[in-house]
Amino acid sequence: MTTPAAHAPRIPEAVHRRRWAILGVLMLSLLIVVLDNSILNVAIKTISTPAPTGLGATQSELEWAINAYTLVFAGLLFTAGLLGDRVGRKKVLLGGLAVFGVGSALAAESGSPAQLIAFRALMALGAAFVMPATLAVLMNVFEREEQPKAIGIWAGGVGLAIAIGPITGGLLLDHFWWGSVFLINVPIVILAIALMMWLVPDSRDPSPGRVDPVGVVLSVVGLVLLVYGIIKGGELADFTDVTVMSSIAAGVVILAAFIVFEKRSDHPSLDVTYFKNKVFSAAMAAIALVFFALMGVTFFSVFYTQSVRGYSALQSGLLMLPLAAAQLIFAPRARLVVDRFGNKATTTGGLLLIAATLGAFATFEADTPIWILEVVFFLMGAGMAHIMTPTSVVIMQALPREKAGSASALSNTFRQVGGALGIAVLGSVLSTAYRTGIEDKLGALPAGLRDTAGESIEATLGVAAKLGPRGQALVDPANDAFLHAMHVTALGGVAVALVGAVVVALFLPGRPKEPQQGEEEAQLVAASE
């Protein structure tokens, strides 16, 4: 018995014919959003250098330059997804790209760390409308059977951005001023807008939700207070400070109020009923935890390669090529591993591999052969590919196609919040451990200079350079203190990745059984409803 209606395609033929070209445009849009953070990772050492080379940003200001972006991005994703569902994803994409381009141009001309932080937040406002719309459009131009392959290629685009970002950033910093790493976004934005207007169809949810301004405000304020408290604690190397404790406590209370409000709202930004599905919740947890661990490690690996090992920004970018190459190689093929072994085994294996590579950082010294770092980066990229692709498919297929914007927003929110907390928590661990390790070596310095020199390895090396020959005695202790801090931070990342592995091993589904013919037809009917 057959049911032709169940097999009928839901995508218009004209759109179906150009679906791969549309995917290319969506990946270009995704590229600049991801590219921006991967470029910034290479540039943070240059930005921390005093003017005129950089802005003289402290480690906490660098953390805010990254987290101003991720927090605004994460806080607005729910609303951006809903607006895309309501007014049309193409319109939201075009508007988001335009705002992102303006923010990039302004960030390039920043005259202080505070201005850079503010313009990064503006860039995030635009990016928040780009990211969920790319996945939502993808889900509306590919039939269900092609969606896993398309999502795999889309996830591979993240790997491409990770590859292009550090190398592009290194090349720009070798030839131009630090602001060029932001200005490079502008021509890409113009090209993406032109291609999108020509190729990408518009789509929307026939019954979209209402916007939830109270939920948006509560989530953003709660996250900012929580992250501010964590970063301030690392900066002071004292988590018992009144400002630190009150900020963290206020953030937790406001986020708890956000969850209670969302439960009671008839138009929530975050529909908590989705999380009754254990598979959906486990996939979200996996994404958040892996980015928590990974973003924290990426933050300190730049200082390891540039400050301790002495590589240039370009060389540091090239050293990250294996990470990106592995993502490009494995992300589109990860679905084949899922087909054979199931989501549970694939994602658990990916998280255990991430834990092992983070553990390797705890063994690195100033003279560790660089090829070992390259192998570790490659394995890290392979682990990421086997986490992101299966969890993205689980999340996107757990909700109806019409709710693609909401599913994508949830996925990206958890990734961004995980990454922001990773930078804040692991960055604070790094900062605290470094200050503790270097403090007793700074006794001969004046009190004001001692506080400045203890902030980060770059601050210590900056003070050492100003002191001339007398400062040389600080270089080796600074390297030793940083390596110890990096080892402690890496072990924190290992613990987080192992928690993620346990969660997915317990709750993600194993290898699916082959459906019988009748079951297959029933599934197709259900998918079309």
Side-chain angles (χ1 to χ4, degrees), residues 147-358:
Q147 286 172 6
K149 181 180 179 182
I151 289 173
I153 295 170
W154 181 89
V158 176
L160 184 64
I162 291 171
I164 294 172
I167 297 167
T168 307
L171 281 168
L172 290 168
L173 292 170
D174 267 9
H175 296 92
F176 305 102
W177 93 116
W178 65 266
S180 60
V181 301
F182 297 110
L183 201 59
I184 191 67
N185 292 333
V186 176
I188 303 174
V189 163
I190 292 169
L191 176 63
I193 287 175
L195 289 172
M196 196 168 294
M197 291 178 73
W198 176 37
L199 282 172
V200 176
D202 207 356
S203 62
R204 65 183 74 195
D205 184 346
S207 54
R210 284 156 55 201
V211 176
D212 173 26
V214 175
V216 172
V217 171
L218 287 174
S219 63
V220 173
V221 171
L223 283 169
V224 168
L225 283 170
L226 177 62
V227 170
Y228 173 79
I230 294 167
I231 291 176
K232 191 70 178 174
E235 186 184 345
L236 300 173
D238 180 12
F239 282 87
T240 62
D241 179 83
V242 175
T243 305
V244 172
M245 292 180 70
S246 57
S247 293
I248 292 173
V252 170
V253 168
I254 291 173
L255 288 174
F258 165 70
I259 292 168
V260 171
F261 180 81
E262 296 302 283
K263 273 185 174 179
R264 295 178 177 176
S265 174
D266 59 355
H267 58 284
S269 292
L270 172 61
D271 192 338
V272 292
T273 60
Y274 295 157
F275 293 91
K276 291 178 181 177
N277 181 333
K278 289 180 181 177
V279 172
F280 183 83
S281 298
M284 285 295 190
I287 283 179
L289 290 171
V290 75
F291 271 86
F292 181 103
L294 218 71
M295 289 294 284
V297 171
T298 305
F299 185 76
F300 71 61
S301 69
V302 173
F303 288 102
Y304 172 68
T305 55
Q306 293 186 39
S307 299
V308 177
R309 301 300 296 259
Y311 289 101
S312 69
L314 175 57
Q315 289 169 329
S316 184
L318 290 170
L319 286 173
M320 294 191 74
L321 261 179
L323 175 69
Q327 284 221 21
L328 281 171
I329 292 165
F330 294 112
R333 294 170 175 79
R335 64 192 174 84
L336 303 175
V337 182
V338 173
D339 289 345
R340 180 159 185 183
F341 299 106
N343 279 304
K344 185 195 294 278
T346 305
T347 311
T348 303
L351 278 158
L352 290 175
L353 186 55
I354 291 287
T357 56
L358 296 177

Side-chain angles (χ1 to χ4, degrees), residues 374-386:
E374 297 299 87
V375 171
V376 166
F377 273 147
F378 184 82
L379 293 174
M380 192 177 278
M384 280 289 293
H386 290 92

Side-chain angles (χ1 to χ4, degrees), residues 355-446:
T357 56
L358 296 177
F361 272 96
T363 68
F364 286 176
E365 301 295 342
D367 58 354
T368 299
I370 204 67
W371 66 264
I372 296 177
L373 176 67
E374 297 299 87
V375 171
V376 166
F377 273 147
F378 184 82
L379 293 174
M380 192 177 278
M384 280 289 293
H386 290 92
I387 297 164
M388 290 305 297
T389 301
T391 52
S392 295
V393 172
V394 165
I395 290 163
M396 295 306 290
Q397 294 192 344
L399 300 181
R401 188 199 295 259
E402 291 74 20
K403 301 296 180 186
S406 299
S408 175
L410 273 170
S411 170
N412 284 296
T413 297
F414 272 67
R415 188 174 78 179
Q416 294 297 327
V417 170
L421 290 174
I423 290 167
V425 173
L426 296 182
S428 292
V429 170
L430 183 75
S431 184
T432 303
Y434 180 79
R435 188 181 281 273
T436 304
I438 198 69
E439 246 171 358
D440 59 346
K441 306 292 191 300
L442 303 175
L445 298 175

